[in-house]
Short mmCIF file of all heavy atoms in Angstrom, two decimals:
data_model
loop_
_atom_site.label_atom_id
_atom_site.label_comp_id
_atom_site.label_asym_id
_atom_site.label_seq_id
_atom_site.Cartn_x
_atom_site.Cartn_y
_atom_site.Cartn_z
N GLU A 1 0.51 -8.09 29.14
CA GLU A 1 1.95 -7.68 28.71
C GLU A 1 3.00 -8.14 29.69
O GLU A 1 4.10 -8.54 29.25
CB GLU A 1 1.93 -6.18 28.61
CG GLU A 1 3.22 -5.63 28.06
CD GLU A 1 3.20 -4.15 27.82
OE1 GLU A 1 2.47 -3.67 26.93
OE2 GLU A 1 4.08 -3.47 28.51
N THR A 2 2.71 -8.20 31.00
CA THR A 2 3.75 -8.65 31.90
C THR A 2 3.46 -9.99 32.48
O THR A 2 4.34 -10.48 33.17
CB THR A 2 3.90 -7.60 33.09
OG1 THR A 2 2.50 -7.57 33.71
CG2 THR A 2 4.31 -6.24 32.62
N GLY A 3 2.28 -10.52 32.21
CA GLY A 3 1.95 -11.84 32.83
C GLY A 3 2.43 -13.08 31.90
O GLY A 3 2.66 -12.89 30.81
N TRP A 4 2.70 -14.09 32.60
CA TRP A 4 3.21 -15.32 31.93
C TRP A 4 2.04 -16.42 32.06
O TRP A 4 1.35 -16.54 33.00
CB TRP A 4 4.38 -15.93 32.67
CG TRP A 4 5.57 -14.97 32.51
CD1 TRP A 4 5.99 -14.10 33.38
CD2 TRP A 4 6.49 -14.94 31.42
NE1 TRP A 4 7.18 -13.46 32.99
CE2 TRP A 4 7.45 -13.99 31.71
CE3 TRP A 4 6.54 -15.67 30.26
CZ2 TRP A 4 8.51 -13.72 30.85
CZ3 TRP A 4 7.62 -15.34 29.38
CH2 TRP A 4 8.59 -14.36 29.69
N TYR A 5 1.90 -17.21 30.97
CA TYR A 5 1.12 -18.41 31.03
C TYR A 5 1.98 -19.52 31.55
O TYR A 5 3.04 -19.70 31.26
CB TYR A 5 0.67 -18.75 29.62
CG TYR A 5 -0.30 -17.81 29.02
CD1 TYR A 5 0.04 -17.03 27.92
CD2 TYR A 5 -1.62 -17.76 29.38
CE1 TYR A 5 -0.80 -16.17 27.36
CE2 TYR A 5 -2.57 -16.88 28.85
CZ TYR A 5 -2.07 -16.07 27.72
OH TYR A 5 -2.95 -15.22 27.15
N ASP A 6 1.44 -20.25 32.49
CA ASP A 6 1.99 -21.48 33.06
C ASP A 6 0.89 -22.46 33.28
O ASP A 6 0.33 -22.58 34.36
CB ASP A 6 2.74 -21.04 34.40
CG ASP A 6 3.54 -22.15 34.94
OD1 ASP A 6 3.59 -23.23 34.44
OD2 ASP A 6 4.20 -21.86 35.97
N GLN A 7 0.74 -23.26 32.37
CA GLN A 7 -0.43 -24.17 32.39
C GLN A 7 -0.07 -25.58 32.76
O GLN A 7 1.10 -26.02 32.57
CB GLN A 7 -1.02 -24.26 30.84
CG GLN A 7 -1.66 -22.91 30.46
CD GLN A 7 -1.31 -22.44 29.04
OE1 GLN A 7 -1.42 -21.40 28.81
NE2 GLN A 7 -0.82 -23.40 28.23
N GLU A 8 -1.02 -26.29 33.35
CA GLU A 8 -0.87 -27.62 33.89
C GLU A 8 -0.84 -28.65 32.73
O GLU A 8 -0.36 -29.74 32.99
CB GLU A 8 -2.01 -27.95 34.86
CG GLU A 8 -2.07 -27.10 36.05
CD GLU A 8 -1.07 -27.42 37.03
OE1 GLU A 8 -0.80 -28.64 37.22
OE2 GLU A 8 -0.57 -26.51 37.68
N GLN A 9 -1.31 -28.32 31.60
CA GLN A 9 -1.34 -29.22 30.42
C GLN A 9 -0.40 -28.79 29.31
O GLN A 9 -0.06 -27.67 29.19
CB GLN A 9 -2.77 -29.31 29.81
CG GLN A 9 -3.89 -29.57 30.81
CD GLN A 9 -4.43 -28.28 31.37
OE1 GLN A 9 -4.13 -27.17 31.04
NE2 GLN A 9 -5.17 -28.46 32.51
N ASP A 10 -0.03 -29.74 28.46
CA ASP A 10 0.68 -29.43 27.22
C ASP A 10 -0.31 -28.67 26.35
O ASP A 10 -1.51 -28.76 26.42
CB ASP A 10 1.12 -30.65 26.44
CG ASP A 10 2.17 -31.56 27.18
OD1 ASP A 10 2.91 -30.95 27.93
OD2 ASP A 10 2.29 -32.71 26.90
N GLU A 11 0.29 -27.76 25.51
CA GLU A 11 -0.42 -26.88 24.64
C GLU A 11 0.07 -27.07 23.25
O GLU A 11 1.35 -26.82 23.01
CB GLU A 11 -0.48 -25.44 25.08
CG GLU A 11 -1.29 -24.59 24.16
CD GLU A 11 -1.22 -23.07 24.67
OE1 GLU A 11 -0.56 -22.78 25.61
OE2 GLU A 11 -1.90 -22.29 24.03
N TRP A 12 -0.79 -27.38 22.25
CA TRP A 12 -0.44 -27.42 20.84
C TRP A 12 -1.04 -26.16 20.21
O TRP A 12 -2.31 -26.00 20.40
CB TRP A 12 -0.87 -28.75 20.17
CG TRP A 12 -0.45 -28.77 18.77
CD1 TRP A 12 0.74 -29.15 18.24
CD2 TRP A 12 -1.25 -28.49 17.57
NE1 TRP A 12 0.70 -29.15 16.84
CE2 TRP A 12 -0.46 -28.70 16.41
CE3 TRP A 12 -2.58 -27.96 17.44
CZ2 TRP A 12 -0.97 -28.50 15.15
CZ3 TRP A 12 -3.03 -27.85 16.21
CH2 TRP A 12 -2.24 -28.04 14.98
N VAL A 13 -0.25 -25.29 19.57
CA VAL A 13 -0.76 -24.12 19.01
C VAL A 13 -0.54 -24.03 17.51
O VAL A 13 0.58 -24.38 16.99
CB VAL A 13 -0.13 -22.94 19.63
CG1 VAL A 13 -0.60 -21.55 19.10
CG2 VAL A 13 -0.35 -22.86 21.13
N LEU A 14 -1.56 -23.72 16.75
CA LEU A 14 -1.53 -23.49 15.30
C LEU A 14 -1.95 -22.02 15.05
O LEU A 14 -2.91 -21.59 15.45
CB LEU A 14 -2.39 -24.36 14.60
CG LEU A 14 -2.66 -24.09 13.06
CD1 LEU A 14 -1.37 -24.41 12.25
CD2 LEU A 14 -3.84 -24.86 12.45
N LEU A 15 -1.03 -21.31 14.32
CA LEU A 15 -1.25 -19.92 13.97
C LEU A 15 -1.97 -20.05 12.62
O LEU A 15 -1.44 -20.36 11.64
CB LEU A 15 -0.02 -19.13 13.89
CG LEU A 15 -0.32 -17.60 13.77
CD1 LEU A 15 -0.95 -17.11 15.12
CD2 LEU A 15 0.99 -16.86 13.53
N VAL A 16 -3.24 -19.73 12.62
CA VAL A 16 -4.11 -19.91 11.46
C VAL A 16 -3.91 -18.65 10.48
O VAL A 16 -3.71 -18.91 9.27
CB VAL A 16 -5.63 -19.93 11.81
CG1 VAL A 16 -6.48 -20.02 10.54
CG2 VAL A 16 -5.83 -21.16 12.65
N SER A 17 -3.78 -17.57 10.98
CA SER A 17 -3.46 -16.33 10.23
C SER A 17 -2.68 -15.24 11.03
O SER A 17 -2.76 -15.36 12.20
CB SER A 17 -4.78 -15.69 9.59
OG SER A 17 -5.58 -15.15 10.59
N GLY A 18 -1.97 -14.45 10.30
CA GLY A 18 -1.27 -13.39 11.01
C GLY A 18 0.20 -13.84 11.22
O GLY A 18 0.66 -14.73 10.63
N ALA A 19 0.77 -13.12 12.18
CA ALA A 19 2.17 -13.42 12.65
C ALA A 19 2.24 -13.13 14.09
O ALA A 19 1.62 -12.12 14.56
CB ALA A 19 3.23 -12.68 11.78
N ALA A 20 3.19 -13.80 14.79
CA ALA A 20 3.20 -13.64 16.23
C ALA A 20 4.66 -14.08 16.74
O ALA A 20 5.39 -14.79 16.04
CB ALA A 20 2.14 -14.38 17.01
N MET A 21 4.93 -13.63 17.93
CA MET A 21 6.18 -13.94 18.58
C MET A 21 5.73 -14.54 19.99
O MET A 21 5.07 -13.84 20.76
CB MET A 21 7.09 -12.83 18.70
CG MET A 21 8.43 -13.17 19.25
SD MET A 21 9.62 -13.80 18.05
CE MET A 21 9.76 -12.45 17.00
N ILE A 22 6.24 -15.68 20.35
CA ILE A 22 6.16 -16.22 21.69
C ILE A 22 7.42 -16.10 22.39
O ILE A 22 8.48 -16.53 21.90
CB ILE A 22 5.71 -17.85 21.57
CG1 ILE A 22 4.53 -18.01 20.82
CG2 ILE A 22 5.67 -18.41 22.95
CD1 ILE A 22 3.22 -17.48 21.37
N ALA A 23 7.37 -15.58 23.59
CA ALA A 23 8.50 -15.42 24.41
C ALA A 23 8.53 -16.40 25.62
O ALA A 23 7.39 -16.63 26.18
CB ALA A 23 8.59 -13.93 24.98
N TYR A 24 9.55 -16.93 25.94
CA TYR A 24 9.72 -17.91 27.09
C TYR A 24 10.45 -17.24 28.19
O TYR A 24 11.30 -16.27 27.97
CB TYR A 24 10.36 -19.14 26.67
CG TYR A 24 9.58 -19.85 25.56
CD1 TYR A 24 9.88 -19.69 24.27
CD2 TYR A 24 8.73 -20.81 25.97
CE1 TYR A 24 9.18 -20.38 23.30
CE2 TYR A 24 7.93 -21.57 25.05
CZ TYR A 24 8.16 -21.26 23.69
OH TYR A 24 7.46 -22.01 22.69
N GLU A 25 10.20 -17.54 29.36
CA GLU A 25 10.86 -16.98 30.59
C GLU A 25 12.40 -17.03 30.51
O GLU A 25 13.00 -16.15 31.03
CB GLU A 25 10.40 -17.66 31.81
CG GLU A 25 10.79 -17.03 33.03
CD GLU A 25 10.26 -17.72 34.34
OE1 GLU A 25 10.21 -18.91 34.37
OE2 GLU A 25 9.73 -16.94 35.19
N ASP A 26 12.99 -18.06 29.86
CA ASP A 26 14.39 -18.12 29.68
C ASP A 26 14.97 -17.25 28.68
O ASP A 26 16.21 -17.19 28.38
CB ASP A 26 14.89 -19.57 29.43
CG ASP A 26 14.42 -20.12 28.05
OD1 ASP A 26 13.80 -19.29 27.30
OD2 ASP A 26 14.79 -21.30 27.80
N GLY A 27 14.18 -16.34 27.96
CA GLY A 27 14.63 -15.48 26.93
C GLY A 27 14.52 -15.93 25.56
O GLY A 27 14.67 -15.18 24.59
N THR A 28 14.20 -17.18 25.33
CA THR A 28 14.09 -17.78 24.00
C THR A 28 12.81 -17.11 23.42
O THR A 28 11.75 -16.91 24.01
CB THR A 28 13.81 -19.32 24.05
OG1 THR A 28 14.93 -19.81 24.78
CG2 THR A 28 13.67 -19.91 22.70
N LEU A 29 12.96 -16.83 22.07
CA LEU A 29 11.73 -16.38 21.26
C LEU A 29 11.44 -17.37 20.16
O LEU A 29 12.41 -17.85 19.50
CB LEU A 29 12.20 -15.02 20.76
CG LEU A 29 12.39 -13.86 21.70
CD1 LEU A 29 12.84 -12.62 20.92
CD2 LEU A 29 11.04 -13.54 22.44
N THR A 30 10.23 -17.50 19.82
CA THR A 30 9.78 -18.31 18.74
C THR A 30 8.90 -17.49 17.90
O THR A 30 7.79 -17.04 18.29
CB THR A 30 8.98 -19.58 19.18
OG1 THR A 30 9.92 -20.36 19.98
CG2 THR A 30 8.64 -20.42 17.89
N GLU A 31 9.20 -17.29 16.58
CA GLU A 31 8.38 -16.57 15.64
C GLU A 31 7.48 -17.50 14.89
O GLU A 31 7.89 -18.53 14.50
CB GLU A 31 9.32 -15.74 14.65
CG GLU A 31 8.56 -14.85 13.75
CD GLU A 31 9.50 -13.99 12.90
OE1 GLU A 31 10.68 -13.92 13.18
OE2 GLU A 31 9.02 -13.40 11.99
N LEU A 32 6.26 -17.11 14.83
CA LEU A 32 5.21 -17.90 14.07
C LEU A 32 4.61 -17.16 13.01
O LEU A 32 4.26 -15.93 13.12
CB LEU A 32 4.20 -18.38 15.00
CG LEU A 32 4.50 -19.23 16.15
CD1 LEU A 32 3.34 -19.43 17.13
CD2 LEU A 32 5.11 -20.55 15.73
N GLY A 33 4.42 -17.82 11.75
CA GLY A 33 3.59 -17.25 10.66
C GLY A 33 2.44 -18.06 10.45
O GLY A 33 2.34 -19.26 10.95
N ALA A 34 1.56 -17.70 9.58
CA ALA A 34 0.37 -18.47 9.27
C ALA A 34 0.75 -19.85 8.87
O ALA A 34 1.72 -20.14 7.98
CB ALA A 34 -0.49 -17.74 8.09
N GLY A 35 0.16 -20.88 9.45
CA GLY A 35 0.38 -22.31 9.12
C GLY A 35 1.47 -22.91 10.07
O GLY A 35 1.63 -24.10 10.01
N ASP A 36 2.19 -22.12 10.81
CA ASP A 36 3.11 -22.62 11.78
C ASP A 36 2.49 -23.17 12.99
O ASP A 36 1.42 -22.67 13.39
CB ASP A 36 4.21 -21.57 12.12
CG ASP A 36 5.16 -21.11 11.09
OD1 ASP A 36 5.28 -21.98 10.06
OD2 ASP A 36 5.78 -20.01 11.18
N TYR A 37 3.11 -24.19 13.57
CA TYR A 37 2.56 -24.80 14.78
C TYR A 37 3.66 -25.04 15.80
O TYR A 37 4.85 -24.97 15.44
CB TYR A 37 1.76 -26.07 14.51
CG TYR A 37 2.66 -27.16 13.91
CD1 TYR A 37 3.33 -28.00 14.63
CD2 TYR A 37 2.70 -27.22 12.55
CE1 TYR A 37 4.19 -28.97 14.09
CE2 TYR A 37 3.48 -28.22 11.91
CZ TYR A 37 4.18 -29.07 12.68
OH TYR A 37 4.94 -30.08 12.14
N LEU A 38 3.24 -25.21 17.08
CA LEU A 38 4.22 -25.17 18.19
C LEU A 38 3.66 -26.05 19.30
O LEU A 38 2.46 -25.99 19.62
CB LEU A 38 4.36 -23.78 18.73
CG LEU A 38 5.26 -23.46 19.85
CD1 LEU A 38 6.74 -23.82 19.54
CD2 LEU A 38 5.18 -22.01 20.19
N LEU A 39 4.47 -26.81 19.93
CA LEU A 39 4.08 -27.64 21.15
C LEU A 39 4.77 -26.90 22.36
O LEU A 39 6.00 -26.75 22.34
CB LEU A 39 4.53 -29.03 21.02
CG LEU A 39 4.27 -29.87 22.28
CD1 LEU A 39 2.84 -29.98 22.58
CD2 LEU A 39 4.87 -31.23 22.12
N ILE A 40 3.96 -26.55 23.32
CA ILE A 40 4.45 -25.94 24.46
C ILE A 40 4.23 -26.93 25.71
O ILE A 40 3.06 -27.15 25.98
CB ILE A 40 3.76 -24.56 24.75
CG1 ILE A 40 3.86 -23.61 23.58
CG2 ILE A 40 4.32 -23.95 26.00
CD1 ILE A 40 3.13 -22.29 23.67
N PRO A 41 5.27 -27.47 26.19
CA PRO A 41 5.15 -28.46 27.29
C PRO A 41 4.42 -27.81 28.50
O PRO A 41 4.63 -26.61 28.76
CB PRO A 41 6.50 -28.91 27.60
CG PRO A 41 7.35 -28.62 26.30
CD PRO A 41 6.67 -27.33 25.85
N ALA A 42 3.79 -28.67 29.26
CA ALA A 42 3.13 -28.20 30.60
C ALA A 42 4.13 -27.57 31.38
O ALA A 42 5.35 -27.92 31.40
CB ALA A 42 2.59 -29.36 31.28
N ASN A 43 3.75 -26.52 32.09
CA ASN A 43 4.53 -25.79 33.12
C ASN A 43 5.75 -24.99 32.47
O ASN A 43 6.72 -24.76 33.08
CB ASN A 43 4.97 -26.67 34.17
CG ASN A 43 3.79 -27.17 34.95
OD1 ASN A 43 3.56 -28.44 34.94
ND2 ASN A 43 2.98 -26.40 35.57
N THR A 44 5.66 -24.67 31.15
CA THR A 44 6.61 -23.85 30.48
C THR A 44 6.13 -22.43 30.50
O THR A 44 5.07 -22.17 29.79
CB THR A 44 6.85 -24.29 29.13
OG1 THR A 44 7.35 -25.75 29.08
CG2 THR A 44 7.91 -23.44 28.34
N ARG A 45 6.69 -21.54 31.25
CA ARG A 45 6.26 -20.25 31.33
C ARG A 45 6.47 -19.48 29.92
O ARG A 45 7.64 -19.48 29.47
CB ARG A 45 6.90 -19.48 32.41
CG ARG A 45 6.44 -20.02 33.79
CD ARG A 45 7.12 -19.50 34.98
NE ARG A 45 7.17 -18.02 35.04
CZ ARG A 45 6.15 -17.33 35.70
NH1 ARG A 45 5.27 -17.95 36.40
NH2 ARG A 45 6.19 -15.91 35.80
N HIS A 46 5.38 -18.92 29.39
CA HIS A 46 5.43 -18.33 28.09
C HIS A 46 4.42 -17.18 27.95
O HIS A 46 3.49 -17.10 28.82
CB HIS A 46 5.21 -19.34 26.97
CG HIS A 46 3.91 -19.94 27.00
ND1 HIS A 46 3.47 -20.86 27.94
CD2 HIS A 46 2.82 -19.79 26.20
CE1 HIS A 46 2.24 -21.22 27.76
NE2 HIS A 46 1.78 -20.52 26.68
N ARG A 47 4.60 -16.35 26.94
CA ARG A 47 3.57 -15.38 26.67
C ARG A 47 3.63 -14.95 25.21
O ARG A 47 4.72 -15.20 24.56
CB ARG A 47 3.78 -14.15 27.63
CG ARG A 47 5.01 -13.44 27.40
CD ARG A 47 5.08 -12.22 28.30
NE ARG A 47 6.46 -11.61 28.32
CZ ARG A 47 6.94 -10.87 29.16
NH1 ARG A 47 6.14 -10.59 30.29
NH2 ARG A 47 8.11 -10.33 29.15
N VAL A 48 2.63 -14.33 24.76
CA VAL A 48 2.60 -13.76 23.43
C VAL A 48 3.23 -12.33 23.50
O VAL A 48 2.70 -11.52 24.18
CB VAL A 48 1.25 -13.64 22.80
CG1 VAL A 48 1.21 -12.95 21.43
CG2 VAL A 48 0.57 -15.02 22.75
N SER A 49 4.40 -12.14 22.94
CA SER A 49 5.14 -10.90 23.06
C SER A 49 4.79 -9.97 21.87
O SER A 49 5.17 -8.72 22.03
CB SER A 49 6.59 -11.10 23.21
OG SER A 49 7.18 -11.73 22.07
N TRP A 50 4.31 -10.44 20.84
CA TRP A 50 4.05 -9.53 19.58
C TRP A 50 3.08 -10.20 18.73
O TRP A 50 3.15 -11.40 18.48
CB TRP A 50 5.33 -9.23 18.96
CG TRP A 50 5.20 -8.50 17.62
CD1 TRP A 50 5.09 -7.19 17.44
CD2 TRP A 50 5.03 -9.08 16.31
NE1 TRP A 50 4.94 -6.84 16.25
CE2 TRP A 50 4.91 -7.98 15.43
CE3 TRP A 50 5.12 -10.33 15.85
CZ2 TRP A 50 4.87 -8.16 14.12
CZ3 TRP A 50 5.05 -10.59 14.48
CH2 TRP A 50 4.86 -9.48 13.59
N THR A 51 2.19 -9.49 18.11
CA THR A 51 1.31 -9.98 16.92
C THR A 51 1.41 -8.85 15.92
O THR A 51 1.60 -7.68 16.28
CB THR A 51 -0.08 -10.20 17.38
OG1 THR A 51 -0.64 -9.02 17.93
CG2 THR A 51 -0.16 -11.36 18.36
N ASP A 52 1.24 -9.24 14.69
CA ASP A 52 1.31 -8.33 13.59
C ASP A 52 0.16 -7.41 13.65
O ASP A 52 -1.04 -7.87 13.77
CB ASP A 52 1.17 -9.11 12.25
CG ASP A 52 1.38 -8.18 11.03
OD1 ASP A 52 1.14 -7.02 11.15
OD2 ASP A 52 1.77 -8.73 9.95
N PRO A 53 0.40 -6.09 13.70
CA PRO A 53 -0.70 -5.08 13.96
C PRO A 53 -1.62 -4.89 12.64
O PRO A 53 -2.69 -4.36 12.82
CB PRO A 53 -0.03 -3.83 14.36
CG PRO A 53 1.32 -3.92 13.80
CD PRO A 53 1.72 -5.40 13.85
N ASP A 54 -1.11 -5.33 11.52
CA ASP A 54 -1.85 -5.08 10.26
C ASP A 54 -2.61 -6.30 9.82
O ASP A 54 -3.38 -6.13 8.81
CB ASP A 54 -0.75 -4.69 9.14
CG ASP A 54 -0.01 -3.55 9.50
OD1 ASP A 54 -0.57 -2.58 10.05
OD2 ASP A 54 1.28 -3.51 9.32
N VAL A 55 -2.50 -7.46 10.49
CA VAL A 55 -3.28 -8.63 10.00
C VAL A 55 -3.86 -9.30 11.27
O VAL A 55 -3.25 -9.27 12.43
CB VAL A 55 -2.23 -9.63 9.41
CG1 VAL A 55 -3.04 -10.85 8.97
CG2 VAL A 55 -1.58 -9.03 8.20
N ASP A 56 -5.10 -9.70 11.19
CA ASP A 56 -5.78 -10.40 12.31
C ASP A 56 -5.03 -11.61 12.70
O ASP A 56 -4.61 -12.40 11.83
CB ASP A 56 -7.12 -10.76 12.00
CG ASP A 56 -8.15 -9.56 11.97
OD1 ASP A 56 -7.86 -8.55 12.55
OD2 ASP A 56 -9.16 -9.69 11.45
N THR A 57 -4.66 -11.81 13.94
CA THR A 57 -4.03 -13.01 14.38
C THR A 57 -5.06 -13.99 15.00
O THR A 57 -5.72 -13.69 15.81
CB THR A 57 -3.01 -12.69 15.50
OG1 THR A 57 -2.05 -11.76 14.95
CG2 THR A 57 -2.23 -13.90 15.94
N VAL A 58 -5.10 -15.22 14.28
CA VAL A 58 -6.03 -16.18 14.64
C VAL A 58 -5.37 -17.49 15.06
O VAL A 58 -4.51 -18.06 14.32
CB VAL A 58 -7.10 -16.49 13.46
CG1 VAL A 58 -8.07 -17.65 13.90
CG2 VAL A 58 -7.73 -15.32 13.04
N TRP A 59 -5.70 -17.94 16.33
CA TRP A 59 -4.98 -19.05 16.93
C TRP A 59 -5.92 -20.24 17.03
O TRP A 59 -7.12 -20.07 17.28
CB TRP A 59 -4.49 -18.78 18.29
CG TRP A 59 -3.71 -17.58 18.48
CD1 TRP A 59 -4.19 -16.24 18.64
CD2 TRP A 59 -2.28 -17.47 18.57
NE1 TRP A 59 -3.03 -15.43 18.84
CE2 TRP A 59 -1.92 -16.20 18.89
CE3 TRP A 59 -1.27 -18.45 18.53
CZ2 TRP A 59 -0.61 -15.72 18.94
CZ3 TRP A 59 0.04 -18.09 18.67
CH2 TRP A 59 0.35 -16.77 18.94
N LEU A 60 -5.42 -21.45 16.92
CA LEU A 60 -6.09 -22.59 17.31
C LEU A 60 -5.20 -23.29 18.35
O LEU A 60 -4.06 -23.59 18.11
CB LEU A 60 -6.26 -23.67 16.19
CG LEU A 60 -6.82 -25.11 16.56
CD1 LEU A 60 -8.17 -24.95 17.16
CD2 LEU A 60 -6.78 -25.94 15.40
N ALA A 61 -5.71 -23.38 19.58
CA ALA A 61 -4.95 -23.93 20.74
C ALA A 61 -5.61 -25.17 21.27
O ALA A 61 -6.79 -25.09 21.56
CB ALA A 61 -4.70 -22.95 21.81
N VAL A 62 -4.84 -26.24 21.44
CA VAL A 62 -5.37 -27.52 22.02
C VAL A 62 -4.58 -27.74 23.26
O VAL A 62 -3.34 -27.91 23.26
CB VAL A 62 -5.31 -28.63 21.01
CG1 VAL A 62 -5.81 -29.90 21.59
CG2 VAL A 62 -6.03 -28.28 19.73
N HIS A 63 -5.35 -27.87 24.44
CA HIS A 63 -4.63 -28.27 25.69
C HIS A 63 -5.00 -29.62 25.96
O HIS A 63 -6.12 -30.05 25.88
CB HIS A 63 -5.21 -27.27 26.82
CG HIS A 63 -4.92 -25.80 26.59
ND1 HIS A 63 -3.91 -25.20 27.19
CD2 HIS A 63 -5.52 -24.93 25.73
CE1 HIS A 63 -3.89 -23.92 26.73
NE2 HIS A 63 -4.86 -23.74 25.88
N TYR A 64 -3.91 -30.41 26.26
CA TYR A 64 -4.22 -31.82 26.60
C TYR A 64 -3.24 -32.30 27.68
O TYR A 64 -2.32 -31.70 28.08
CB TYR A 64 -4.04 -32.69 25.21
CG TYR A 64 -2.71 -32.61 24.60
CD1 TYR A 64 -1.80 -33.69 24.92
CD2 TYR A 64 -2.38 -31.55 23.85
CE1 TYR A 64 -0.53 -33.61 24.37
CE2 TYR A 64 -1.07 -31.49 23.25
CZ TYR A 64 -0.22 -32.52 23.47
OH TYR A 64 1.00 -32.47 22.94
#
C-alpha cells in the first residue's frame, strides 16, 4: 500500500480482466479496464492504488 515500484526495465502491462488504477509518484493517475494496456518507462515510480473488489484483476506484465 505504501511501497513504490521502481524498476530498471521498461514495463508493458495489459489488464486482461477487472479494473485498476495506477498511481505515479508525481500524483498522476491512470485508470485501466479490461483490454487496456500501458507502457511504464524504466525508473518511473508507480504502484497499483486500486483494483475492482468485485472482479478478479488479471495482469500480463512484460519487462524488457
